[in-house]
Amino acid sequence: MDLDAVKVLLESQERTFRSALELVVEQWKERIRLVEGKMTDLTKSLEFSQAEILDLENNEKVLQKLNKDKQVAVEELQSRVAELNHRLNYQEDYTRRNNLRISGLKEQPVGETWEQTAVNVSKILEDKLQLPSVNLERAHRVGPAAAAASSHPRAVVVRFKNFSDREAAIRNASKLKGTGIYINEDLCPASLEIKKKQFPLMKKAREDGKIAFFRHTRLIIRERIDQRSSSSVPAAGSPHVGAGFSGWVAHGDSTVRPPDGTERVSSETTGDRRVSGDSTGCQQRVLRDRKKT
């Protein structure tokens, strides 16, 4: 084979190889363009997603703020409702301030009238509590009449014409001890439930020798007066000998209830004894006792 033939053959092979190479390069360029297009679409999609995420985050912040504002508003409303309920319960209790609830008073099996109930109550007040001539506005049983046939008579709600008579009955209620008859304040259901939850604490305090009593629905627990001051301070629940005494006597955390059943403690600080009442002489005696101790 001569040199010209070899040269023609090499040129033919070069053209063939170049064509094949250009075809391959073009195919790769097409693929690269497709990938670049997909990358552009993905970038746009990612940017759109990021924008949506930012919007959602902003919306979440707005919703959180609205939710917080609503929670604050709800808490304020709940507080307001609780305050109104408290005031309503207090008002209802105040309308019953002349009432007492008597439990354990024997009931006629059938057909006891209000007049008969009032007579039975008046008899208890006069015979057991030594309170003659007490004026009652009304006295009636509470609860279904079918309960009268059971071993537990229905309670009696008594309304006194005078608040002083009602307080006198409360003060003398201890004279009913052992009779199975009990006298309590007539409170609304909500107040009764509050007191009911505190009964175990009151029982435990009394078992420990402390003075425990209710001031409306608030349980008050105090230490008893020690023996050293028993000569100058009356025992718990007993009236003071000083004329005109109408306050509380506090010694440490101990408190003595006055005859009128009200509470006017001017200080409950441990170790302090003060009197807030109508008797100046009583105040002077307590101050003298304090100096001695």
Side-chain angles (χ1 to χ4, degrees):
M1 182 178 295
D2 56 6
L3 184 60
D4 292 335
V6 173
K7 185 176 180 180
V8 171
L9 180 60
L10 289 174
E11 289 176 353
S12 175
Q13 289 179 349
E14 181 182 1
R15 287 192 298 271
T16 302
F17 179 75
R18 186 182 298 275
S19 298
L21 183 61
E22 289 177 352
L23 179 61
V24 172
V25 171
E26 189 64 30
Q27 289 177 350
W28 277 105
K29 287 182 178 180
E30 183 64 25
R31 290 183 179 180
I32 290 173
R33 284 193 294 270
L34 291 175
V35 172
E36 288 178 346
K38 290 181 179 180
M39 288 294 295
T40 302
D41 294 339
L42 289 173
T43 302
K44 292 180 180 180
S45 177
L46 182 59
E47 291 175 351
F48 180 77
S49 299
Q50 288 178 342
E52 284 188 335
I53 292 173
L54 290 175
D55 291 339
L56 290 174
E57 289 178 349
N58 293 332
N59 291 336
E60 182 183 5
K61 291 180 180 179
V62 172
L63 291 175
Q64 287 179 349
K65 185 178 184 304
L66 291 175
N67 186 40
K68 185 176 180 180
D69 294 341
K70 288 183 178 180
Q71 287 180 347
V72 172
V74 169
E75 291 175 357
E76 290 178 353
L77 289 174
Q78 289 176 342
S79 176
R80 180 61 176 167
V81 169
E83 180 183 357
L84 292 175
N85 284 334
H86 176 73
R87 291 184 179 183
L88 181 63
N89 293 334
Y90 184 83
Q91 289 295 329
E92 184 175 352
D93 288 340
Y94 188 80
T95 61
R96 304 184 184 199
R97 67 190 301 266
N98 281 17
N99 293 4
L100 287 179
R101 184 176 290 254
I102 302 178
S103 305
L105 184 61
K106 187 175 180 181
E107 181 177 2
Q108 295 183 7
V110 180
E112 180 176 295
T113 63
W114 285 19
E115 290 78 9
Q116 292 172 330
T117 303
V119 170
N120 292 335
V121 171
S122 297
K123 186 176 180 181
I124 290 294
L125 296 175
E126 184 174 355
D127 296 345
K128 301 295 185 180
L129 305 185
Q130 288 77 50
L131 297 174
S133 304
V134 172
N135 294 322
L136 303 181
E137 187 171 318
R138 67 174 182 271
H140 61 86
R141 301 276 179 177
V142 291
S150 66
S151 58
H152 300 285
R154 293 178 295 168
V156 178
V157 173
V158 182
R159 185 171 185 83
F160 295 81
K161 287 186 178 180
N162 300 318
F163 182 74
S164 58
D165 292 338
R166 182 258 195 197
E167 289 294 277
I170 281 286
R171 288 196 303 271
N172 293 347
S174 60
K175 297 179 179 179
L176 294 173
K177 186 175 181 179
T179 64
I181 300 175
Y182 304 93
I183 296 180
N184 297 288
E185 293 179 305
D186 181 38
L187 302 175
C188 68
S191 297
L192 288 175
E193 186 64 24
I194 293 175
K195 292 183 65 174
K196 182 179 179 181
K197 293 179 180 179
Q198 301 179 83
F199 283 157
L201 293 176
M202 182 176 70
K203 182 179 179 181
K204 177 65 169 57
R206 290 181 174 178
E207 289 175 352
D208 293 341
K210 300 179 180 179
I211 297 175
F213 60 92
F214 281 101
R215 183 183 298 169
H216 189 214
T217 57
R218 179 187 174 193
L219 178 61
I220 307 297
I221 299 177
R222 291 172 179 157
E223 299 291 342
R224 290 187 178 275
I225 300 174
D226 55 22
Q227 296 297 327
R228 291 176 300 176
S229 58
S230 60
S231 60
S232 58
V233 181
S238 63
H240 197 280
V241 294
F245 178 83
S246 61
W248 288 84
V249 177
H251 182 255
D253 288 335
S254 301
T255 301
V256 178
R257 187 166 188 163
D260 63 353
T262 59
E263 49 182 320
R264 303 185 184 91
V265 179
S266 58
S267 175
E268 297 179 6
T269 306
T270 303
D272 191 10
R273 176 201 278 167
R274 302 180 186 177
V275 173
S276 174
D278 299 328
S279 174
T280 304
C282 179
Q283 295 178 359
Q284 295 174 349
R285 285 194 296 274
V286 173
L287 291 175
R288 288 198 299 268
D289 293 338
R290 182 181 177 184
K291 291 179 179 179
K292 291 178 181 180
T293 57

